[in-house]
Amino acid sequence: MPLVIGVLKETHPGERRLSVVPDVVKKYQGLGASVVMQKDAAKGAHFRDTDFADVTWVDSAADVVAAADVVLCVQPPAAETLAAMKPGSVLCGMLQPWYSTERVQQLVDGQVTAFALELLPRISRAQSMDILSSQGAVAGYECALIAADHSPKFFPMLTYAAGSIRPAKVLVIGAGVAGLQAIATARRIGAMVEAYDVRPETREQIESLGAKFVDTGVSAAGAGGYARELTEEEKAKQAERLAKAVAQCDALITTAAIPGRKAPRIITADMIARMKPGAVVVDMAAETGGNVEGTVAGEKVWIDDVLVIGPTNIPSRMPVHASEMVAKNLFNFISPFIKDGALALDWEDEVMAGSCLAHAGELRHAGVKQALGL
């Protein structure tokens, strides 16, 4: 029997992305696999069912998992869907492994082999599968547009009959993939951009995009390309230097996040109070607690005369291209293990072993096990 790839309709509120796109379906079929999709799964991402050639359509998530050997998802499926998965079947997507002991235990108890792409090792070979980076790029782009849309000032310099208007000043906190994309997008729109990151090696990247690096004298370079947690003394020094830059900007975009942990609090209420009237803050980390004191996830909040925006599930605002990126990430992860139309998992492979959450009734990832206390 050929390998069956199952594609679920996303059920998370507001989720519009899809785990495959038509071109990627053809690639799976080219490897000898067949594809089963839940009806209307593609609607939120603006694809028609007729865009997918030679796909078997079924009515429900239960029908998908009953037929599939490998189930693809963007966000974790509902508990009833996980419960219906066949023992030994494979689940692959963004599974939010740190946030639900119950879900992880359900995968273990159900004998499901689960790969959470958030757990991918930070190595060169895994870059084409890096779903956090691809979706971070979407989020950074969107945050720059959100800031521009809500700002009471033009982002670019504007010349008109009576003179010229100076461009807006944008400050971006965090220079990971999302932050760098926010910098690049704000620059393209025409704003003057400054940026800050606790990792000093990002200075060159920031400046290469035409932005000015805000140097606070604090370094927090950590393992795996992520920032480490700052000491209280370092946080105080960082805040003192950063407060001045925050006070001078017209729009602030914060993107600092550490997977599996609460977002670091970087911008205090005192900093917000010192911002210009009409300034806009876009807190990309709102879903994990926010970088900004006063952020409310999913809401727009006025703090005095400063607008603080806490957008959630930002990549889903751009479902067409975000879905293309997710689909390619998933394909690049799973396709090397599809041989002659069958799945051949290779536990000696660093990428596969490192991203495995559960297999054969066992929680495989030591970091998740420690975080959840299992």
Side-chain angles (χ1 to χ4, degrees):
M1 290 290 291
L3 179 71
V4 179
I5 306 288
V7 179
L8 296 169
K9 181 178 180 179
E10 298 295 321
T11 57
H12 189 276
E15 182 56 72
R16 299 167 61 198
R17 290 170 292 177
L18 179 65
S19 55
V20 296
V21 293
D23 287 349
V24 172
V25 165
K26 292 178 183 177
K27 290 182 178 181
Y28 284 120
Q29 293 167 341
L31 293 175
S34 61
V35 178
V36 173
M37 292 182 67
Q38 187 176 350
K39 288 182 180 177
D40 292 329
K43 188 174 182 180
H46 303 298
F47 292 103
R48 301 182 183 92
D49 288 355
T50 53
D51 293 333
F52 296 86
D54 300 319
V55 162
T56 300
W57 294 95
V58 295
D59 292 325
S60 67
D63 292 333
V64 172
V65 298
D69 303 302
V70 176
V71 177
L72 305 179
C73 61
V74 178
Q75 298 213 44
E80 57 268 24
T81 302
L82 295 179
M85 289 189 68
K86 298 182 295 186
S89 60
V90 173
L91 177 66
C92 187
M94 290 188 288
L95 304 182
Q96 301 176 15
W98 302 282
Y99 302 119
S100 174
T101 302
E102 292 78 10
R103 181 165 55 242
V104 171
Q105 194 62 55
Q106 189 175 16
L107 291 167
V108 170
D109 293 342
Q111 302 277 318
V112 173
T113 297
F115 296 103
L117 264 63
E118 301 100 317
L119 302 176
L120 278 171
R122 307 290 289 185
I123 59 176
S124 297
R125 189 166 68 82
Q127 287 181 354
S128 67
M129 316 164 194
D130 191 347
I131 209 164
L132 291 179
S133 291
S134 73
Q135 300 308 287
V138 180
Y141 175 86
E142 277 290 325
C143 282
L145 298 185
I146 293 168
D149 184 43
H150 289 83
S151 176
K153 297 184 176 183
F154 291 114
F155 264 36
M157 183 178 73
L158 183 72
T159 300
Y160 68 119
S164 296
I165 294 176
R166 290 176 58 81
K169 181 177 284 188
V170 175
L171 174 62
V172 177
I173 305 294
V177 172
L180 292 172
Q181 187 62 58
I183 292 167
T185 304
R187 284 280 297 153
R188 289 190 191 104
I189 298 172
M192 295 187 296
V193 183
E194 294 185 340
Y196 169 69
D197 195 291
V198 290
R199 299 166 297 159
E201 64 269 22
T202 62
R203 180 174 194 147
E204 184 178 347
Q205 295 172 299
I206 289 168
E207 292 177 344
S208 72
L209 293 172
K212 178 182 177 183
F213 181 74
V214 177
D215 191 350
T216 65
V218 175
S219 171
Y226 296 111
R228 64 173 173 81
E229 193 74 33
L230 296 177
T231 66
E232 292 304 315
E233 183 179 348
E234 287 173 328
K235 288 179 181 178
K237 185 177 180 181
Q238 176 197 57
E240 180 184 350
R241 302 280 182 88
L242 203 52
K244 183 177 180 181
V246 171
Q248 294 173 346
C249 73
D250 300 300
L252 171 64
I253 300 170
T254 65
T255 70
I258 304 171
R261 301 185 190 177
K262 186 176 180 180
R265 182 59 51 83
I266 298 172
I267 305 301
T268 64
D270 180 63
M271 292 181 187
I272 296 293
R274 294 168 60 183
M275 294 185 76
K276 300 174 184 178
V280 176
V281 178
V282 182
D283 190 344
M284 201 188 81
E287 283 182 286
T288 54
N291 299 141
V292 180
E293 188 173 356
T295 294
V296 178
E299 302 289 341
K300 300 174 185 178
V301 179
W302 285 97
I303 300 177
D304 293 328
D305 200 13
V306 175
L307 178 60
V308 179
I309 304 171
T312 57
N313 198 3
I314 305 168
S316 191
R317 294 168 177 251
M318 189 172 289
V320 175
H321 282 159
S323 295
E324 288 182 11
M325 296 163 89
V326 166
K328 290 176 181 177
N329 291 147
L330 289 168
F331 178 81
N332 289 338
F333 175 79
I334 202 72
S335 61
F337 309 107
I338 300 176
K339 311 289 185 183
D340 300 321
L343 190 65
L345 300 180
D346 179 6
W347 297 109
E348 299 299 318
D349 185 274
E350 184 179 4
V351 172
M352 173 161 285
S355 58
C356 182
L357 178 61
H359 175 66
E362 180 186 356
L363 175 55
R364 285 290 188 96
H365 196 276
V368 174
K369 186 181 295 187
Q370 181 180 11
L372 297 180
L374 294 175

